[in-house]
Amino acid sequence: MAQTILPFGPQHPVLPEPIHLKLTVEDEIVVDALPALGYVHRGLEKLCDIRDYNQMVQIVERVCGICSKIHAMCYCQGIEEMMGVEVPDRAKFLRVIWSELHRVHSHLLWLGLFADAFGFEALFYQFWKIREKVMDINEATTGNRVIVSVNQVGGVRRDLSAEQLRWIDAELKVVEAQVRALRATTLDDYTVKKRTKGIGVLSSAQAMELGAAGPTLRGSGVAQDMRQLKYAAFDRLDFQPISYPDGDSWSRCAVRYDETLQSIDLVRQAMARLPEGELSVKVKGKPEGEVVTRVEQPRGELLYYLKGNGTNNLDRCRIRTPTFANIPPLVVMLPGLELADVPVVVLSIDPCISCTER
Amino acid sequence: MPIPTKQVTKETLVAEVLQLKNAGWRIVTATCVDLNENEFDLIYHFDKDLQMEHLRLTVPKGAPVPSISGVYLAAFLVENEIQDQFGLCFDGLALNFANHLYLDDEVATTPFCKFGVVRKTAAAE
Amino acid sequence: MRLGPMVPTVVKNLISKKSTRPYPFVVREPFPDQRGELYCDIEQCIFCGTCARKCPSQCITVDKEQGLWICDPFACVYCGTCEEVCPTHCLHHKGAWRPVAGERQMIEMKGTPPKKKKKDAAKDAAAE
């Protein structure tokens, strides 16, 4: 059989962001996939040379548009650890609330895009309609819709009033009911199962070896979630990672669907246990030393390596985003698939390319 | 305060990494840090049951480093990234983009270095 | 024939109110405390330049001699850092964002300090 090389992307109907895959196909079957990056590389890590460590908070937020809050939180945690700053309790809980809200809207966005990938437009719009409520919560409580800028080194910048907490609670009730109503469609529908069950299988041994992260790892039956590290206020919340054993696209979808509901629950828990107190502490001095911090982003484990040299500017700010870790598993998953399944599998790792390339 | 790391050398790197792999560690990533005019720090991060282990390799600029992509295939992406940004070349990369993972053909500099370096592969030496 | 599980949702959407609004004719009120367009209460401004130094996107230029405060709204990231660091609390965000513009317009504000008239000074300061 003669081999053909098909370009997949950088512009492709299912891809929200540009990534190029060179697919070698034999007839309709993919035999090899080669990723090509570099369409949205911005060099944000290097900006730490000219921006001071406080300004970097706003810069790392822009690594990713969907989980900006979580990037800033991870960065701030790193700097705080380096400088020995203890963040007030209320700030920790507020960080959890906003980061879980980000996870909810990110997963809803992904569930919509995934529905779009297998051609279920009605489900796509339904999920995005639900997501709009979460975006409104972000906008009303933080002042910005997507890149919320609520973190600072030493705490958070905005507070939630009792009235706002009640309103968030009421809105989340609606969101939860609407998401639950779509469970049968997302996970049990005949067409959806036909397109996702057994497609793009990644065994748990493969996932571990290839360094998969987040829902891709948990969809392969490895229950590892960085929130188990009990950063921020997760030590005072009830939390168990969600995992599904099959390792196919359907499992990854199920993990994300369940995590959406779990995150809503975590927001509720954090709101119920929100202590009174200060929002931030004053940070004195300059960061010096090395630190590695990890948090769980909607797409998986996010790692920051920060190195300070006692000046206002950091020596090195290294960001390892989850999609970066999930590209090798993707390259391994693709061979053997039919061409028509490629978009579904590519989306099933929730690729965030601007994260990957920074 | 520096993070707790285990110092390795070019010769022992691959063996150490293989040992970690056999013990069930997952590779998280590698970090390259520009130390001074002559040296890079390469830090490899591994994870097992939420614990982290770091290997530190201090290498002179301009000399190639053995690739660990033969042990962990997943390392090819980060090693290509370091190759692009720091001009540090890796020997035996499983999938070598030859400095074109992010960069275009016409880019001859190493954008992430404070002090520019000349790329040197094992073949060029 | 069996109905898919999506059908009740679709029927519900069909008979319920639209979830979008006819935008240019109906505009939603901005939420309180939303970070919209930046402005400066120029009479209170002391032209210290703290906002310009702390801004992560470096979109603010302050000219002490001319008494000029200039913000590039195309570079501004609406993070609110300037608002917080201002010693006289003269910077604020409006509720709404700037409307779409056909060409680049700077937010330029002229205050009281030394009243010299020299239009090019702002450009010189930016070039430096």
Side-chain angles (χ1 to χ4, degrees), chain A residues 38 58 252 320:
Chain A
Q58 266 76 37
R252 292 189 276 277
R320 202 299 307 261

Side-chain angles (χ1 to χ4, degrees), chain C residues 3-121:
Chain C
L3 284 180
M6 187 69 183
V7 174
T9 316
V10 172
V11 172
K12 215 165 130 191
N13 281 343
L14 212 59
I15 51 174
S16 63
K17 209 172 92 224
K18 274 185 186 167
S19 54
T20 52
R21 51 184 97 74
Y23 167 65
F25 310 107
V26 182
V27 182
R28 190 197 67 191
E29 280 295 302
F31 290 107
D33 295 335
Q34 186 173 306
R35 295 186 187 125
E37 185 183 346
L38 193 67
Y39 70 98
C40 178
D41 281 339
I42 202 75
E43 288 315 311
Q44 286 174 38
C45 182
I46 54 171
F47 301 97
C48 63
T50 312
C51 48
R53 279 194 302 279
K54 296 277 180 187
C55 175
S57 67
Q58 318 247 291
C59 68
I60 303 174
T61 323
V62 179
D63 190 334
K64 199 165 187 169
E65 309 225 317
Q66 310 288 319
L68 271 175
W69 180 91
I70 304 161
C71 171
D72 180 355
F74 287 77
C76 178
V77 295
Y78 304 97
C79 63
T81 307
C82 49
E83 197 180 355
E84 278 170 24
V85 296
C86 180
T88 58
H89 303 289
C90 66
L91 291 171
H92 303 282
H93 286 280
K94 288 179 190 163
W97 293 296
R98 264 171 98 84
V100 186
E103 57 187 43
R104 198 182 184 94
Q105 286 171 329
M106 304 293 239
I107 307 172
E108 243 185 84
M109 291 192 166
K110 182 118 178 65
T112 32
K115 278 180 185 171
K116 282 181 201 164
K117 272 206 169 176
K118 212 182 191 182
K119 275 187 180 172
D120 293 340

Side-chain angles (χ1 to χ4, degrees), chain A residues 51-52 54-55 58-59 62 120 122-123 126 129 136-137 139-140 142-145 147-150 152 157-158 167 181-182 184-185 188-190, chain C residues 2 4-6 9-10 13 16-17 19 21 28 30-36 52-58 77-84 97:
Chain A
R51 299 280 190 267
D52 71 35
N54 282 314
Q55 292 173 331
Q58 266 76 37
I59 287 162
R62 278 156 181 79
F120 203 154
L123 187 61
Q126 191 65 24
K129 183 176 147 190
D136 278 354
I137 297 177
E139 195 172 344
T142 65
N144 288 335
R145 195 176 130 91
I147 299 186
V148 296
S149 282
V150 285
Q152 65 182 22
R157 296 166 57 189
R158 291 231 175 175
W167 175 68
L182 294 177
T185 316
D188 286 339
D189 188 85
Y190 171 78
Chain C
R2 207 169 59 88
M6 187 69 183
T9 316
V10 172
N13 281 343
S16 63
K17 209 172 92 224
S19 54
R21 51 184 97 74
R28 190 197 67 191
F31 290 107
D33 295 335
Q34 186 173 306
R35 295 186 187 125
R53 279 194 302 279
K54 296 277 180 187
C55 175
S57 67
Q58 318 247 291
V77 295
Y78 304 97
C79 63
T81 307
C82 49
E83 197 180 355
E84 278 170 24
W97 293 296

